[in-house]
Every structure is written in C-alpha cells, then in structure tokens.
Amino acid sequence: MQLHDVWFVLIAVLWTGYFFLEGFDFGVGILTKLLARNRPERRVLINTIGPVWDGNEVWLLTAGGATFAAFPEWYATLFSGFYLPLLVILVCLIVRGVAFEYRAKRTEENWQRNWETAIFWTSLIPAFLWGVAFGNIVRGVKIDQHFEYVGSVGDLLNPYALLGGLVTLTLFTFHGAVFTALKTVGDIRVRARKLALWVGLGAAVVALGFLLWTQADSGDGKSLVALVVAVAALVAALVANQFGREGWAFTLSGVTIVAAVAMLFLSLFPNVMPSTLNGDWSLTVSNASSSPYTLKIMTWLAAIATPLVLLYQGWTYWVFRKRIGTQHIAPDAAAGAAH
C-alpha cells in the first residue's frame, strides 16, 4: 500500500469520526424542537452536548486540513465546485457555536428562544447538506480534463444526493435520540426512546434504499459487507432501544454510521472524485495527491499528534459521563419555562 492509499484511509477515518461524534451532536440540536416540551428540557438537551460539541468539530477541521495537504487537487475541486453548500454549512456552524455561547447571556424569554431556534436550524441544515455533498462525491460530478468542476449548483440537487441528505438527517437524529436516552433521566429519557424508535424506522427505510443504490452503481464485495453491517447494526440498535439498553443502542447506532461511511469510501476508491463527463478525467488517489515526501512528513506528524488528541477527547467524555435531568437545572435557568 502506497502513502496516498494510506492517507485516503486516514481521511476516511477522520470523516467517519466526525459523522459519529457530530452526528449525535446535530441530532440533539434537532431534538430541541422535536423532543423538548419546555425550557428546562431544552436546557437539559443542550447541556448533554455542551462540554463536547466544540471538540467534535475538531474532526471536521482535521479532515479538511488533511485533505488540503494530502490531496490538494481533490480539495481544490471539491471546495470550488461545492462552494455554496459548503459555505452554508460553514455559516451554520459559526452561528451554532455563537448560539451555544450566547443563549444564556441574558434571561429574556425572546432572547433565549431565538438562540434555541438557531441551534435547531443550524443542526438540521448541515445534517442534511453533508449527505447531499457526500452523495455527489460518490456519484460523481461534472469534472473536465483540467480537473475543474464545470457543473452548476442545480446539478448537485439530484435524486441520489438528496436521498443521501435524508439518510444523514434521519440517522443523525436517531443517533442523537439514543444519545439523549443514554445521557438523561426522567420523562425526557422515556420519550427519547420512543422518538428514537420512529426516527430509526424512517432512517432504516431511506438508508437501505440509498445504500442499495450505491451498491448497484459502484459497489463491490467489500462495500457489500459494509452495507450488511450497517443494516444489521441499525436493526440491532432499534431492538436494543426497545429493551432500554441505551448504551448498546448508542454503540450500535454509531456502528451504523461508521459502516455506512465506510461503504461510501469503499465504493469511491481508488477515485476521490469521479467525473461524470469522462472517466479518464476523474480525480484519483494517485493524480490528486501531494508528493511522496509531503505525505511522509504528514504521516510522522499524524503518528505523534493523533494519539494525544484521542486521549484528550476520551478524557473529556469520561469526565462528563453522568446523566442529567430537569432536577439538575438551576431555578434561575428554569425561569420562564412555560410557553
């Protein structure tokens, strides 16, 4: 295996980690409107991800930086061709971070409700657009002989990519619901399990259709194994959720996301961005990569830094591992709960 193959795998791992962690993060943000009935419950949901949401986004920064350094041609074509949807995602992530920080700065009901609405929309929109983006990457886009994207924004809104958006939206919401059940106590925990069942069933339908479509178009034996694992894990997560085994349900929903993302990258390799105009114009791991010397330096740096980052993030989750409920919300934070 050559270094550009290794870095393709590493970038796949980074995106998988991002979708696993930010997936339940987005899901909880969406649940602030779908699950929470009042202000204390919304505060409980926000508090479950409050200590970790910014750390989860580090995976996105690392994935983007690694793509830029290891595959500059891929990065240039991707970020220029997908400029508008990626800009929308970036704006959402900025507003979302501001909303988390500013929501509690003032006690007025309108102030807090507006920031809570911002958290909902800036969780829902990226959860959908990431699926659209990766759907287009796997399906292929209009790339010319100069490795430049020559399509339009409308070309990105094709049925396959839109279905991919529904997959990430529903899977992330399900992932967030089982995470909420794992991290909370009381009535909100019970309702999170019930909501997870219905969202999970919807996710199973759209995910199965999307993955079968992917397998039929560009899959092989390895991607078929990943498809089977994803479907089996999702079914097992639904069963575990019904029996109240929240730790298993969350783990298995995470396995579903990991296997689904792995299938997409397995279907994509050795391309990194196929061309629908001419297969010879596709970006691959070889023609889109940096020099071997650059990849060698990056490999040494990653070998040193990655374990430290994983240890730190793992420690953060361990420290904030306990469940919370409305009884843990301070009285002044619960003021004005009735709507």
Side-chain angles (χ1 to χ4, degrees):
M1 180 179 287
Q2 300 186 53
L3 279 179
H4 53 63
D5 298 327
V6 171
W7 273 97
F8 179 85
V9 173
L10 291 177
I11 288 172
V13 170
L14 290 171
W15 279 111
T16 302
Y18 173 67
F19 286 144
F20 178 94
L21 296 172
E22 193 84 304
F24 73 75
D25 197 325
F26 285 145
V28 171
I30 294 169
L31 293 178
T32 57
K33 291 291 186 183
L34 301 183
L35 180 66
R37 292 175 174 173
N38 49 45
R39 180 164 296 169
E41 289 190 352
R42 284 193 292 276
R43 180 65 181 270
V44 168
L45 290 175
I46 293 171
N47 283 1
T48 62
I49 58 175
V52 298
W53 68 267
D54 48 354
N56 294 343
E57 292 185 357
V58 171
W59 288 77
L60 172 62
L61 298 175
T62 308
T67 304
F68 172 77
F71 299 99
E73 288 282 359
W74 184 14
Y75 182 93
T77 304
L78 175 63
F79 279 77
S80 59
F82 293 21
Y83 179 81
L84 184 58
L86 292 178
L87 177 62
V88 172
I89 291 174
L90 177 61
V91 171
C92 285
L93 294 180
I94 293 172
V95 173
R96 190 168 183 263
V98 172
F100 280 128
E101 297 298 331
Y102 275 73
R103 177 194 171 278
K105 296 298 183 183
R106 291 167 58 178
T107 59
E108 290 90 337
E109 181 177 340
N110 286 341
W111 172 271
Q112 295 196 0
R113 185 168 58 240
N114 289 338
W115 285 120
E116 289 162 358
T117 300
I119 290 172
F120 169 77
W121 285 109
T122 56
S123 298
L124 186 149
I125 294 172
F128 177 74
L129 288 181
W130 278 126
V132 173
F134 270 82
N136 278 292
I137 291 173
V138 175
R139 170 182 174 269
V141 291
K142 294 179 180 178
I143 299 174
D144 65 13
Q145 65 270 32
H146 304 295
F147 300 140
E148 295 178 359
Y149 178 70
V150 294
S152 65
V153 174
D155 293 328
L156 302 178
L157 303 178
N158 55 80
Y160 176 80
L162 292 175
L163 182 60
L166 289 177
V167 171
T168 51
L169 177 60
T170 54
L171 274 182
F172 290 172
T173 306
F174 173 68
H175 199 37
V178 294
F179 177 79
T180 299
L182 178 65
K183 287 288 293 180
T184 58
V185 295
D187 183 57
I188 193 171
R189 175 187 177 188
V190 176
R191 285 187 282 115
R193 287 208 304 263
K194 292 180 179 178
L195 182 61
L197 171 63
W198 296 108
V199 176
L201 289 173
V205 172
V206 293
L208 181 60
F210 178 76
L211 295 179
L212 287 174
W213 191 345
T214 304
Q215 180 66 26
D217 275 358
S218 55
D220 57 16
K222 294 178 181 178
S223 63
L224 180 60
V225 172
L227 185 157
V228 172
V229 171
V231 173
L234 182 54
V235 172
L238 287 167
V239 173
N241 176 71
Q242 282 300 98
F243 282 94
R245 302 300 298 270
E246 291 136 350
W248 278 107
F250 177 71
T251 300
L252 289 165
S253 69
V255 171
T256 302
I257 293 174
V258 170
V261 177
M263 181 190 175
L264 295 183
F265 277 95
L266 287 169
S267 301
L268 187 61
F269 186 82
N271 294 320
V272 295
M273 210 164 177
S275 172
T276 57
L277 299 178
N278 188 324
D280 294 334
W281 299 343
S282 296
L283 289 168
T284 67
V285 291
S286 57
N287 66 23
S289 67
S290 294
S291 67
Y293 182 70
T294 300
L295 296 177
K296 184 176 181 180
I297 294 176
M298 290 175 59
T299 303
W300 280 107
L301 292 175
I304 296 171
T306 302
L308 298 177
V309 173
L310 292 176
L311 284 172
Y312 172 77
Q313 193 160 29
W315 176 79
T316 302
Y317 277 93
W318 175 257
V319 169
F320 295 101
R321 67 189 181 278
K322 293 186 177 180
R323 296 177 182 265
I324 61 173
T326 53
Q327 66 270 29
H328 300 117
I329 303 299
D332 57 336
H339 283 215

